[in-house]
C-alpha cells in the first residue's frame, strides 16, 4: 500500500520512532525504579564498631527489590512519580530510535556490499555505529530524564525539566549535559551484542521458509521471543555501564569518569553493586525490547506491503 509512497529511509525512521515511543510509555514505571536502584541514593554506608574495637563498613540499601521500590514511591511521592521523566523520554525516544534504526539499516546495507552479507561482522559494526550516533546526538535528553527520575521531592518542591536545564547550564555549561556519555559509549557493546544475537536468531527462523515476505502472527511472536532472548543476554553481559551512567548523571563531583566510577562503586559497595537493579532492568527490558522490535518489524512490513 505504502511501498511507492515512502522511501526505505523514511520507513525505518517511522518504524523505529513508533516502536520506541510505545515501549517507553508502557514500561516507564519500571524505568523509574531501575534508575533509583542504580543510584547512590539507595546506598547507606556506615561505620560499625566490632567486638575487638575495630570499625568496618556496613552497606545497606533502602530498597532491595522491585515491589518494595514501587510501593515506597507510590506511598511517599504518589502514583505520578512512577512516570517522572516520561516527558523527556517521549521527546527523546522517537528521534533516538529513529536515528538508531536509520543508521543501523544504512550501515548494514553499506557493510553488506563489502563483507559477507548478513554476517555477525556486519551486524556488530552496524549496531556499534548506530549506537554511537544515537548516543551522541541524544545524550542531553537522557541526562535530563535521569535527573527527573532521581528527584524525590513532593509535588510542591518537585523539580521541572526547565529548572534542571537552567541549573546545569549555569553551573557546567553545555558539557554538563554530556555527563554519562562515556558510559553510553561503553554500552554500545550491549546494543551490538543484542543485534548480533537478534539477527542470528532471525536467520535461524528464516531457514526452511520459502515465503518469508508474507509474515504471519507466528512470525511476529517469533520476533518477540528473539528480541527478548537477545536483549536479556546482552544486558547481563554489559550491565555495569548502566550503573556507571546513572551515577555519573546524579550530580556532584564524586563520580568523574566511566572507569573511575566503576572502581569507586566496586571499592565502596562491592562488586555486586555494579549489578544493582539488574532484576528490574531485565523485567523492564524484555517487554520493552519485545514491544519495540515487534512494532518496528510490523510497521516496516506494513509500509513495504
Amino acid at each position: 500500500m505504502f511501498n511507492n509512497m515512502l522511501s526505505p529511509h523514511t520507513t525505518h525512521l517511522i518504524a523505529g520512532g513508533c516502536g520506541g515511543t510505545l515501549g517507553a510509555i508502557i514500561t516507564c514505571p519500571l524505568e523509574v525504579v531501575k534508575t533509583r536502584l542504580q543510584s547512590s541514593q539507595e546506598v547507606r554506608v556506615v561505620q560499625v564498631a566490632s567486638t575487638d574495637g575495630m570499625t568496618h563498613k556496613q552497606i545497606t540499601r533502602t530498597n532491595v527489590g522491585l515491589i518494595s521500590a514501587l510501593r515506597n514511591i507510590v506511598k511517599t511521592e504518589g502514583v505520578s512519580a512512577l512516570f517522572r521523566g516520561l516527558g523527556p523520554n517521549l521527546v527523546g525516544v522517537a528521534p533516538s530510535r529513529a536515528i538508531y534504526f536509520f543508521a543501523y539499516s544504512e550501515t548494514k546495507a553499506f557493510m553488506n556490499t563489502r563483507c559477507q552479507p548478513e554476517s555477525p561482522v556486519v551486524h556488530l559494526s552496524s549496531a556499534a555505529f548506530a549506537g554511537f550516533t544515537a548516543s551522541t546526538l541524544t545524550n542531553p535528553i537522557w541526562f535530563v530524564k535521569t535527573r527527573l527520575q532521581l528527584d524525590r521531592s513532593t509535588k510542591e518542591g518537585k523539580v521541572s525539566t526547565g529548572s534542571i536545564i537552567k541549573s546545569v547550564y549555569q553551573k557546567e555549561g553545555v558539557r554538563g549535559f554530556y555527563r554519562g556519555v562515556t558510559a553510553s559509549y561503553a554500552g554500545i557493546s550491549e546494543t551490538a551484542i543484542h543485534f548480533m544475537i537478534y539477527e542470528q536468531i532471525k536467520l535461524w527462523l528464516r531457514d526452511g521458509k520459502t515465503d518469508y515476505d508474507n509474515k504471519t502472527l507466528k512470525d511476529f511472536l517469533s520476533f518477540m521471543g528473539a528480541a527478548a532472548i537477545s536483549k536479556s543476554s546482552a544486558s547481563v553481559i554489559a550491565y555495569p555501564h548502566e550503573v556507571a551512567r546513572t551515577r555519573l548523571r546524579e550530580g556532584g563531583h564524586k563520580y568523574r569518569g566511566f572507569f573511575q566510577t566503576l572502581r569507586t562503586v566496586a571499592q565502596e559497595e562491592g562488586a555486586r553493586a555494579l549489578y544493582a537493579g539488574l532484576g528490574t532492568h531485565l523485567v523492564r527490558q524484555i517487554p520493552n525490547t519485545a514491544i519495540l522490535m515487534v512494532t518496528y518489524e510490523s510497521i516496516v512490513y506494513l509500509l513495504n506491503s
Side-chain angles (χ1 to χ4, degrees):
M1 182 185 300
F2 298 97
N3 57 341
N4 293 324
M5 298 172 58
L6 299 174
S7 68
H9 309 304
T10 305
T11 297
H12 289 290
L13 283 169
I14 293 173
C18 290
T21 299
L22 184 60
I25 294 172
I26 294 175
T27 63
C28 185
L30 296 175
E31 169 75 11
V32 172
V33 172
K34 181 206 74 171
T35 302
R36 299 261 181 116
L37 292 175
Q38 290 172 342
S39 75
S40 63
Q41 295 177 357
E42 296 294 327
V43 180
R44 301 290 182 270
V45 182
V46 296
Q47 297 292 331
V48 179
S50 59
T51 55
D52 59 2
M54 302 294 289
T55 60
H56 63 276
K57 291 189 300 183
Q58 179 174 304
I59 300 170
T60 60
R61 288 185 170 271
T62 55
N63 283 312
V64 295
L66 171 59
I67 302 302
S68 61
L70 285 170
R71 287 175 177 170
N72 185 61
I73 291 173
V74 173
K75 180 180 179 181
T76 59
E77 304 170 52
V79 175
S80 63
L82 295 175
F83 292 89
R84 284 189 176 172
L86 181 59
N89 214 352
L90 293 181
V91 169
V93 73
S96 174
R97 294 304 184 184
I99 291 167
Y100 183 91
F101 280 104
F102 174 76
Y104 180 79
S105 62
E106 289 299 295
T107 306
K108 188 168 76 167
F110 174 80
M111 294 297 294
N112 276 336
T113 63
R114 287 160 175 79
C115 303
Q116 180 181 347
E118 301 300 329
S119 64
V121 171
V122 170
H123 298 150
L124 273 171
S125 57
S126 300
F129 180 76
F132 177 83
T133 303
S135 295
T136 302
L137 295 177
T138 60
N139 192 80
I141 300 173
W142 307 133
F143 171 85
V144 174
K145 181 205 70 173
T146 300
R147 285 288 181 92
L148 286 170
Q149 291 177 337
L150 292 176
D151 175 47
R152 297 169 183 263
S153 55
T154 60
K155 185 177 181 180
E156 291 75 17
K158 186 171 62 175
V159 298
S160 65
T161 299
S163 64
I164 290 175
I165 293 173
K166 181 179 179 181
S167 175
V168 171
Y169 183 75
Q170 289 177 340
K171 294 178 181 179
E172 304 177 62
V174 175
R175 289 184 60 185
F177 294 100
Y178 280 87
R179 279 195 171 201
V181 72
T182 52
S184 292
Y185 291 153
I188 291 172
S189 61
E190 176 183 338
T191 306
I193 294 168
H194 158 50
F195 267 84
M196 183 181 69
I197 297 174
Y198 178 73
E199 295 282 7
Q200 187 59 55
I201 294 175
K202 281 178 63 179
L203 289 177
W204 291 339
L205 294 172
R206 185 181 302 184
D207 285 346
K209 286 199 66 172
T210 58
D211 189 16
Y212 189 74
D213 290 333
N214 292 321
K215 294 182 173 62
T216 64
L217 176 60
K218 182 180 178 181
D219 292 316
F220 289 112
L221 290 176
S222 297
F223 292 149
M224 185 176 290
I229 293 170
S230 58
K231 187 61 176 180
S232 58
S233 300
S235 294
V236 172
I237 294 170
Y239 186 75
H241 90 273
E242 289 261 356
V243 175
R245 185 171 59 194
T246 295
R247 298 293 180 99
L248 285 166
R249 290 173 176 171
E250 284 181 355
H253 302 285
K254 182 176 183 178
Y255 305 111
R256 301 183 301 277
F258 176 64
F259 292 108
Q260 181 267 342
T261 300
L262 291 178
R263 286 195 301 270
T264 300
V265 172
Q267 290 171 358
E268 294 185 352
E269 305 168 38
R272 289 184 62 183
L274 295 175
Y275 289 87
L278 175 60
T280 302
H281 179 68
L282 291 177
V283 170
R284 172 191 171 272
Q285 280 288 45
I286 291 175
N288 183 68
T289 304
I291 292 166
L292 166 64
M293 299 306 295
V294 170
T295 303
Y296 171 77
E297 297 280 4
S298 300
I299 292 177
V300 169
Y301 175 69
L302 290 172
L303 294 180
N304 287 333
S305 61

